[in-house]
Amino acid sequence: MPRLDPEEVRLDTIRPKPGSRTNRKRVGRGEGDGHGKTSGRGHGGAGSRAGSKRKAGYEGGQTPIHMRMRKLRGPHRKMSMPFERFRTHTEPVNIGDLPDRFEDGATVDRAGLVRAGLAHGKHPIKVLAKGELDKKLNVSADKFSAAAVAAIEAAGGSVTYVGADVDENGAQDG
């Protein structure tokens, strides 16, 4: 069907998009329509009977995924539940990437890391100690490794925990 010009569009000329409206499949109405006799259910078996349902998670006799996976326990280990929605996510930022992108004495926060392309800002940010840091930086992030805190403070910078519970000893929950 050709498209209508905008001036031809009226209540009596509008129509659904081609292919968006189809007639329902009427089964068991004779061999001619291709859905006769067994009505697309195959020959016999439990699946051809009325009221038949597949078990949830059934994979046709193949061992289901929840039985194929290893059975390590614990919510915070990547190995224990290898399904994405059960993972605890953090975005890693290495201190070796900071000197190239920030000036000496600068404040490094979430917005600055996103602008510098070091983080997406979607998950909590964890600063790790990989690389060398020779500039004095004031870094604020959700989490830090102990070695990263030591390296930042050794370079004359400071560390600020954002969005995490930290006790009086500087230890972090979670």
Side-chain angles (χ1 to χ4, degrees):
M1 285 186 194
R3 285 183 64 90
L4 294 173
D5 292 326
E7 58 271 0
E8 294 177 0
V9 177
R10 300 183 307 275
L11 284 177
D12 62 322
T13 61
I14 60 173
R15 56 185 175 245
K17 193 170 183 172
S20 65
R21 310 278 296 190
T22 57
N23 295 331
R24 71 182 182 87
K25 179 165 70 171
R26 297 179 70 223
V27 296
R29 295 295 187 272
E31 286 297 292
D33 71 347
H35 300 292
K37 193 181 171 214
T38 55
S39 302
R41 289 173 174 251
H43 293 278
S48 69
R49 314 291 186 215
S52 73
K53 293 183 179 66
R54 284 260 184 246
K55 279 169 63 173
Y58 184 66
E59 299 184 23
Q62 170 179 294
T63 306
I65 190 166
H66 71 277
M67 295 176 79
R68 293 197 304 266
M69 288 297 163
R70 53 195 183 273
K71 287 153 183 71
L72 301 173
R73 304 301 197 258
H76 296 301
R77 295 189 57 201
K78 203 183 268 191
M79 300 173 345
S80 61
M81 285 299 275
F83 305 109
E84 276 301 313
R85 66 173 180 262
F86 295 113
R87 283 199 184 151
T88 304
H89 291 277
T90 56
E91 289 190 59
V93 174
N94 295 315
I95 60 170
D97 297 330
L98 299 178
D100 301 335
R101 293 174 172 87
F102 295 98
E103 297 298 320
D104 195 20
T107 299
V108 180
D109 58 355
R110 175 183 289 272
L113 290 170
V114 171
R115 270 196 309 274
L118 292 175
H120 292 25
K122 184 177 172 185
H123 298 294
I125 294 173
K126 182 169 184 176
V127 179
L128 304 175
K130 185 175 180 181
E132 297 293 321
L133 181 65
D134 52 359
K135 290 184 180 176
K136 177 183 173 183
L137 296 173
N138 303 319
V139 185
S140 60
D142 298 288
K143 297 182 177 192
F144 294 85
S145 67
V149 172
I152 292 168
E153 290 174 349
S158 65
V159 168
T160 308
Y161 288 91
V162 178
D165 296 328
V166 180
D167 65 12
E168 63 277 354
N169 299 327
Q172 193 175 337
D173 292 343

